[in-house]
Amino acid sequence: MSCPIDHTGAVPAAAPITLDPFVTDLDAESAALRAAGPLVRVVLPGGVGVYAVTHHAEARALLTDPRVVKDIGVWGAWQRGEIPLDWPLIGLANPGRSMLTVDGDEHRRLRALVAQALTARRVEKLRTGIEALTAEALDKLAGLPEGETVDLKAAFAYPLPMNVISELMGVDAAEHPRLKALFEKFFSTQTPPEEVPQMMADLGALFSRIVESKRATPGDDLTSALIAASEDGDHLSTEEITNTLQLMVAAGHETTISLIVNAVVALETHPEQRALVLAGEVPWENVIEETLRWATPTSHVLIRFATEDIEVGDRILPKGEGLIVSFGALGRDEAQHGGTAGAFDVTRTPNRHISFGHGPHVCPGAALSRLEAGVALPALYDRFPHLSLAVPRAELRNKPVLTQNDLFDLPVRLHP
């Protein structure tokens, strides 16, 4: 594992911070990362060393810096064979060729096709379907016996985004149980190394099967549109189509699940904020944006690589090193959000966070995620205005997922 190099005027690197694979206290870890400086040497689960950008301004600069790329071939540790194929996070570091892993003209080519399906107009057209799915889920919750504790994540926050992204991408609902099981292993830091290669192969086979079914029977969905673009001369490879499908399904449901769950937790642990919202004094849009900032759904994003030495504040990101973006730290950066950055405040204005990323690789599904949360949250509280956590906040368990600010479950009571 390479070490930071010396540069005149650069601050010597402190001891690396080892990221907790069990994510027992993300807030404390994010605070430690922020306090260590704008660029911090960290150790990922599995003993892989990279750098993390932890301050807002420096992250914005790096996310638009052409010297920071997605090509894993630039990574010195990869070149030296130090990253094993059974590393639990290999699927996040090397997910295959798609718009996530290429830059420049190739990235623009792939992203343009996805953008055609995710225009503001098309996303807004999905509103009716999202409202119907939300109402259906809430009807099921309303049918439960009063007083019963409900896992709101499993019963509400998970099925809505998964159904929406599946409809958009053309994934049959029958695939959902298998997808859920595979994505649990894909994102977890605790997947046994001996299971990683098979898990990756199974995910690839599942999405390849979906693509082939769409070749045989096209529909009004993004996967069919990507296939049609390929056949019309855009020269998208089957690998690019399959990996784009996998990327969109993975990112398209995980982020929204966490956004809905984290918003509910934030409101239920800040009753004065909740009262403002339910009284109509603060719009739900503010809740969504403040949740994205304060309890960002994406805690760390893997992984970019430096093509040359890059100054980051008073530090140096050395050539050939890997870089992760620690959004959990960025969201509470006082230099960006003021002295109250650590507080959840739905009246905060302005609220200029970058929790969906920044620059060429900004999340293409940001508008869709905001729309889903913007439909789901007010509908949930309109139906169940006395909703409350069924356990103390300290008893909610974080999932061992490095990239998502996620919980195992969200036990609530729907009635007083």
Side-chain angles (χ1 to χ4, degrees), residues 47-72:
V48 174
V50 297
Y51 285 80
V53 59
T54 64
H55 292 187
H56 180 99
E58 286 79 1
R60 278 180 60 96
L62 285 172
L63 288 170
T64 55
D65 193 320
R67 299 170 295 175
V68 179
V69 300
K70 289 299 197 83
D71 179 6
I72 196 171

Side-chain angles (χ1 to χ4, degrees), residues 20-27 153 262 393-401 404-409:
D20 177 9
F22 296 100
V23 196
T24 51
D25 192 344
L26 179 61
D27 287 350
K153 179 181 176 182
N262 294 347
R393 173 67 181 92
E395 294 182 16
L396 296 176
R397 302 171 300 150
N398 291 335
K399 292 184 70 174
V401 176
Q404 296 299 125
N405 183 7
D406 198 7
L407 300 174
F408 276 104
D409 51 16

